[in-house]
Amino acid sequence: MTYFQLNRLLTTPDLVGQTVTAKGWVRTKRESKNVTFIALNDGSTINNLQAVAEAGILDEEILRKISTGACLAVTGTLVASQGSGQAVELKVERVEIYGPADPDQYPLQPKRHSLEFLREIAHLRPRTNTFGAVLRIRHALSFAIHKYFNDTGFFYLHTPIITGSDAEGAGEMFRVTTLDPLKPPRNDDGSVNYKEDFFGKETNLTVSGQLEGELGALALGKVYTFGPTFRAENSNTTRHLAEFWMVEPEMAFYELEDNMNLAEDFLKYLVRYVLEHCPDDLKFLETRLIDEEKLKPQTERSPMPLLEKLRFVLDNDFQRLTYTEAIDILVQSKPHKEKKFGYPVAWGVDLQSEHERYLVEKHFKKPVILTNYPKEIKAFYMKQDADNRTVRAMDVLFPGIGEIIGGSQREDDYEKLKQRVAEVGIAEESIWWYLETRKFGSAPHAGFGLGLERMAMFVTGMGNIRDVIPFPRFPKSAEF
Ligand code: 4AD
Ligand code: MG
């Protein structure tokens, strides 16, 4: 076998002098009188192979079909490169065309396309440098997530996608049903009779694997779940998707402090992993960002280049403070006094991303962990503090992103949890099994959820969450 992927071909000096085959898609073709230069990329790396065909080597028909987007197999001798730009190049002997791409129709031209345009051709955008880099980094992050937990004694628990409960109690769920929408079976009072539905009850796509994760933690000790998560919130923002991937560790015998320590260590591990394993892709994205920033007004430019920002997170402890302390800071802040915030600030309000970003980017200038939020603005399962007003919640806030992690210590007291469930109006029949873990062998425990795409935004510097998932799902969009 003389076929090699480019990540190998371009980095293995002992292949120089050998006859090898590379396969991939043409990025550019440059022709001069005596020679044709083909930049080939196969997606295994951001770097292209330069293939050099001297005049007369390829027949006219083949030469014509070599154009941006075409897929080829190129065979030749790997030689030390004459030009700068690359260490090796391929002296072409033979080209096989797998699939031509009519240059008059192929939408990806060798120039910079806007991200908005690329979203409309999401079936082809993985072939661009930017999306290649993002998707390889997304892979590295996913792999690192499994590695981190595996190496620290966690078990991967597969929690269900279809559920009968609303884990976050926010009611933003996609219904799962096989009933005929035009003539569903009805009860006497006219309501839909879900007893006749596939599962014999109302079911939805999961908004979080946490509740089942807790069942696992209260048996296996330390577990994590990592899978697709669905929210039917109508948020057309740069940080929300209707379908995203969430990783949720859940640990028996962890309290809030342990939970924070784990979250900080985990996030730093992921950043370090990507710095170590994806240097070329990061370098490319950093340069891309610098070019993009030049088009922005001075005040909106990010203060640090991408790699510096990532190293900065590694080198600094996250700032930990309570929600109450954060509200004090925000009330004293300039944008609040000058009425620059779009949303009000007072004890009890849910923080908006403008507030979170003020704390992280302007006040502390580093990642922040906020704890002990008012119970009214957090989910029913969080452990209540002794003051009866706050719960042991924690949100991790990142520069440029806002909330990247949400988590808490869980309420482990059966009576208190039952009461809270009733207060917020959750039907006990829908989560009786969850309550039973507090009745039988309850234990202090805690966990959190990290949105994979928010993390991918942070490490790639991409500004829109729709550009860090191959096929984004958001309101009015499920094309690809
Ligand atoms: O803060 P959230 O809603 O927390 C939970 O779902 C808990 N059950 C997690 C746990 O304790 N096990 O979501 C957790 C994280 C957010 O911080 C954010 O990173 C991400 O999930 N997230 C989203 N990412 C993209 N699009 C959305 N619509 C998201 N909603 C939440
Ligand atoms: Mg949250």
Side-chain angles (χ1 to χ4, degrees):
M1 182 75 166
T2 58
Y3 158 61
F4 297 96
Q5 284 191 289
L6 294 191
N7 56 356
R8 171 90 200 281
L9 205 63
L10 296 173
T11 56
T12 316
D14 56 335
L15 289 176
V16 170
Q18 294 194 29
T19 301
V20 296
T21 300
K23 304 178 180 190
W25 292 267
V26 176
R27 285 299 170 78
T28 55
K29 178 172 83 168
R30 267 191 305 126
E31 278 171 301
S32 69
K33 209 154 69 198
N34 302 322
V35 62
T36 301
F37 294 99
I38 307 160
L40 199 71
N41 189 282
D42 68 359
S44 63
T45 159
I46 188 93
N47 300 309
N48 296 333
L49 172 70
Q50 167 152 288
V52 187
E54 280 167 22
I57 293 279
L58 303 175
D59 69 49
E60 281 305 311
E61 172 73 7
I62 297 247
L63 258 180
R64 204 169 37 76
K65 284 187 178 160
I66 299 175
S67 63
T68 298
C71 187
L72 325 174
V74 188
T75 303
T77 317
L78 196 67
V79 297
S81 178
Q82 317 282 302
S84 49
Q86 62 279 320
V88 293
E89 60 188 30
L90 193 67
K91 197 164 176 294
V92 177
E93 284 152 26
R94 207 166 60 242
V95 168
E96 182 187 344
I97 310 273
Y98 285 138
D102 182 347
D104 294 331
Q105 291 183 43
Y106 187 59
L108 285 175
Q109 292 307 312
K111 61 161 199 177
R112 180 171 290 231
H113 293 290
S114 76
L115 295 171
E116 290 76 14
F117 169 70
L118 292 175
R119 254 170 248 148
E120 290 166 16
I121 52 163
H123 57 308
L124 294 172
R125 69 178 185 170
R127 295 190 196 175
T128 63
N129 282 333
T130 301
F131 284 88
V134 166
L135 294 177
R136 281 184 297 271
I137 290 174
R138 188 184 160 100
H139 160 78
L141 276 176
S142 307
F143 185 81
I145 286 167
H146 285 297
K147 183 164 167 53
Y148 179 85
F149 288 123
N150 183 63
D151 291 353
T152 53
F154 282 72
F155 298 106
Y156 182 24
L157 185 78
H158 295 95
T159 53
I161 303 287
I162 300 173
T163 70
S165 58
D166 178 1
E168 290 303 298
E172 293 159 336
M173 297 178 298
F174 290 100
R175 188 184 293 291
V176 175
T177 178
T178 54
L179 294 179
D180 180 348
L182 293 178
K183 40 176 183 4
R186 300 209 181 259
N187 298 311
D188 292 344
D189 64 0
S191 59
V192 175
N193 181 2
Y194 287 104
K195 288 209 178 73
E196 290 196 22
D197 204 348
F198 189 91
F199 296 105
K201 60 186 286 195
E202 286 191 69
T203 49
N204 312 291
L205 294 178
T206 186
V207 296
S208 160
Q210 177 195 324
L211 300 191
E212 291 89 352
E214 287 186 51
L215 313 183
L218 293 172
L220 298 169
K222 295 198 288 186
V223 301
Y224 70 105
T225 174
F226 181 20
T229 310
F230 307 87
R231 298 205 179 167
E233 52 195 339
N234 203 357
S235 341
N236 248 314
T237 79
T238 54
R239 282 165 300 103
H240 290 87
L241 289 166
E243 177 180 299
F244 62 102
W245 285 66
M246 187 158 38
V247 50
E248 295 178 276
E250 190 70 35
M251 299 75 62
F253 318 120
Y254 272 49
E255 301 195 2
L256 188 60
E257 174 96 14
D258 311 306
N259 207 21
M260 286 193 271
N261 293 342
L262 179 73
E264 182 166 345
D265 187 59
F266 174 53
L267 289 170
K268 286 179 171 171
Y269 176 90
L270 295 182
V271 170
R272 205 177 305 118
Y273 188 94
V274 172
L275 277 170
E276 275 169 20
H277 290 82
C278 312
D280 293 354
D281 287 326
L282 286 176
K283 195 79 215 134
F284 170 82
L285 290 169
E286 175 172 87
T287 308
R288 181 193 163 277
L289 269 177
I290 290 170
D291 290 346
E292 201 174 66
E293 296 259 306
K294 286 186 192 141
L295 306 171
K296 289 189 194 163
Q298 193 84 38
T299 48
E300 283 172 35
R301 292 187 197 164
S302 118
M304 279 184 207
L306 183 61
L307 289 166
E308 195 182 326
K309 185 185 77 174
L310 298 183
R311 286 197 200 97
F312 179 80
V313 164
L314 292 185
D315 294 342
N316 286 280
D317 289 342
F318 296 2
Q319 182 73 40
R320 302 180 183 191
L321 70 159
T322 65
Y323 167 93
T324 305
E325 289 163 337
I327 289 290
D328 287 344
I329 291 171
L330 289 169
V331 166
Q332 300 299 324
S333 73
K334 229 169 125 185
H336 177 69
K337 289 184 171 158
E338 293 175 359
K339 303 203 178 350
K340 293 266 164 64
F341 286 139
Y343 291 84
V345 186
W347 201 94
V349 302
D350 207 354
L351 296 182
Q352 300 297 321
S353 83
E354 58 179 357
H355 307 136
E356 297 174 339
R357 292 184 60 172
Y358 173 83
L359 292 169
V360 173
E361 290 159 30
K362 297 272 164 11
H363 190 84
F364 292 111
K365 296 192 167 63
K366 56 178 175 164
V368 165
I369 310 184
L370 283 190
T371 60
N372 307 86
Y373 284 71
K375 67 177 177 189
E376 280 73 23
I377 59 171
K378 288 293 182 189
F380 71 94
Y381 50 69
M382 297 190 181
K383 185 166 180 66
Q384 295 180 43
D385 284 314
D387 68 3
N388 236 339
R389 298 171 77 208
T390 56
V391 286
R392 284 191 206 165
M394 62 167 216
D395 277 8
V396 182
L397 315 179
F398 258 35
I401 307 289
E403 180 191 334
I404 197 161
I405 276 182
S408 73
Q409 187 173 340
R410 317 306 189 190
E411 184 56 80
D412 51 2
D413 182 288
Y414 179 64
E415 291 304 332
K416 282 192 184 150
L417 184 62
K418 224 171 94 140
Q419 195 193 331
R420 193 77 191 123
V421 162
E423 272 168 21
V424 302
I426 298 174
E428 217 181 295
E429 317 86 82
S430 71
I431 52 164
W432 61 273
W433 42 271
Y434 182 74
L435 292 168
E436 280 211 346
T437 54
R438 276 57 169 183
K439 201 156 129 190
F440 306 124
S442 188
H445 63 289
F448 61 81
L450 167 70
L452 176 69
E453 288 75 17
R454 300 244 176 120
M455 188 62 188
M457 285 176 79
F458 180 71
V459 294
T460 61
M462 298 298 282
N464 192 318
I465 199 165
R466 298 171 187 178
D467 298 330
V468 295
I469 186 166
F471 308 107
R473 298 286 177 261
F474 52 91
K476 303 284 176 284
S477 176
E479 179 75 10
F480 301 97

